[in-house]
Amino acid sequence: MSKENSRYRWFVVAVFFFFMLLHQTDKLMIGSLQVEISEDFQLNNKQWGLINSGALIVATILYPIWGYLYDRFSRTKLLSLASFIWGGTTWLNAIVRTYGGFLFTRASTGIDDSSYPGLFTLIADYFGPNLRGKIYGILQLAQPLGYLVGMILALIVAPMLGSWRDVFYITGSLGLVLAVLIYFGVKEMPRGQAEPEFENMPEMQTFKFSWAEAKEIFKKKTMWFVFLQGFAGVFPWNVITFFFFAYLEKERGYDANSILFTMAPVILILASGYFIGGALGDMAFKRSNKGRIIVSSIGVLLGALFMYLAITTPIEAKNQFFILMCLTAVFMPLSSANVIATVYDVTVPEVRSTAQAVEYFIENAGAAFAPILTGFIADAYDLKTAILLICTAAWLLCFFFYLGAIFTIDKDSHDLRNQMAARAKSM
């Protein structure tokens, strides 16, 4: 790869990083605004859960559609469209003045939430298998950082501006700006360009989506374990995103400043965990095809342990709670970048968006109901019980699903490399 192309691919990473950072800010800051929005619309926990589940359900339904479109058409143009939809629906969400209108427009923001498979597969065509974990780790830094930026907007900027609606206008406008930048600034790449078997080839064959290859996704045993861990693994993230701030305020007695100074360091540590997980996964992958799975299984097991210890810490032991939450934050994201890379380690380039979209669909099919489930448990008992029960149970299930993938990854990975080698010989 020429120096110019090498520099350009890092420009693409930077553009997508800011896309994810600002999109996650827009998506996740609603968790920090729970008290204000609930007071505005007079909501209980169940109604609040329905608002957040609505967007998740819409995103879940649209994942297979986005995945198919990304494998058939230009990923850059579709990502630009997703950014435009993000901006428009966020504006609508800020404008409405009734609970029904807010419920509907918030659900519409889920349209663009299912747009990430195209972004990750495009990056896979800029960077080879041995670098993907690190790159995905860098990109996924944007998720917790977006959470932090959203928290700052909600707790500091919104009161200064006078309304939670004003910050929605800001993030929606940024989505429209990024739509233009992606449309004109990011180039499409041939699918499979970065696979090692095609390195230094003067001309790249065009691989087109086929239903036959799409069906092969479901014949790979590793993908089924990935699907199962995804179904369970997203539950805790949605519970923490939409209810943890209310838990800190209502049940642990934190004020806005205490929440900010407690959670900001935790989120920064969480952000580092994405890159650490991706880097460790790449290092382990160079030694064994099982490497990414081993890193992921350690992450979810220790994350569950430290989350349990943190939530059961007495309210007055604030320093102990903070330390345990920091330890939880180190291990929680270790699996994230590795799961994405693992999907691409076993699937052919022309159906990777579809494979990723199916994985996200299965993840969210169950997790879309996590806020509702949390709301029911919280109303019946308390938020502590809801968070503790859902997070620890889900992550323990993920650990056992990863153990299953350890026994299947070698065959599925070797099958893909053999298939890529056969294609390279035929060109």
Side-chain angles (χ1 to χ4, degrees), residues 90-127:
T90 298
W91 265 71
L92 290 174
N93 201 213
I95 290 170
V96 296
R97 291 295 189 272
T98 65
Y99 169 65
F102 190 81
L103 180 65
F104 177 80
T105 55
R106 191 65 199 173
S108 73
T109 65
I111 296 172
D112 52 274
D113 289 346
S114 50
S115 63
Y116 286 125
L119 185 156
F120 290 130
T121 56
L122 184 57
I123 287 294
D125 293 327
Y126 277 99
F127 295 89

Side-chain angles (χ1 to χ4, degrees), residues 302-340:
L302 293 179
L305 173 63
F306 287 118
M307 174 62 82
Y308 174 83
L309 294 174
I311 297 297
T312 55
T313 297
I315 292 175
E316 62 274 11
K318 291 189 175 182
N319 289 337
Q320 180 181 333
F321 175 76
F322 174 72
I323 292 169
L324 289 169
M325 283 305 302
C326 288
L327 290 171
T328 304
V330 172
F331 294 102
M332 275 177 61
L334 289 192
S335 65
S336 189
N338 290 302
V339 169
I340 299 171

Side-chain angles (χ1 to χ4, degrees), residues 225-246:
F225 288 113
V226 168
F227 294 154
L228 289 169
Q229 72 76 32
F231 181 87
V234 179
F235 268 77
W237 291 94
N238 287 322
V239 172
I240 293 167
T241 297
F242 298 123
F243 287 92
F244 204 72
F245 284 88

Side-chain angles (χ1 to χ4, degrees), residues 53-65:
S53 286
L56 292 170
I57 292 169
V58 170
T60 300
I61 293 169
L62 292 180
Y63 266 122
I65 297 173

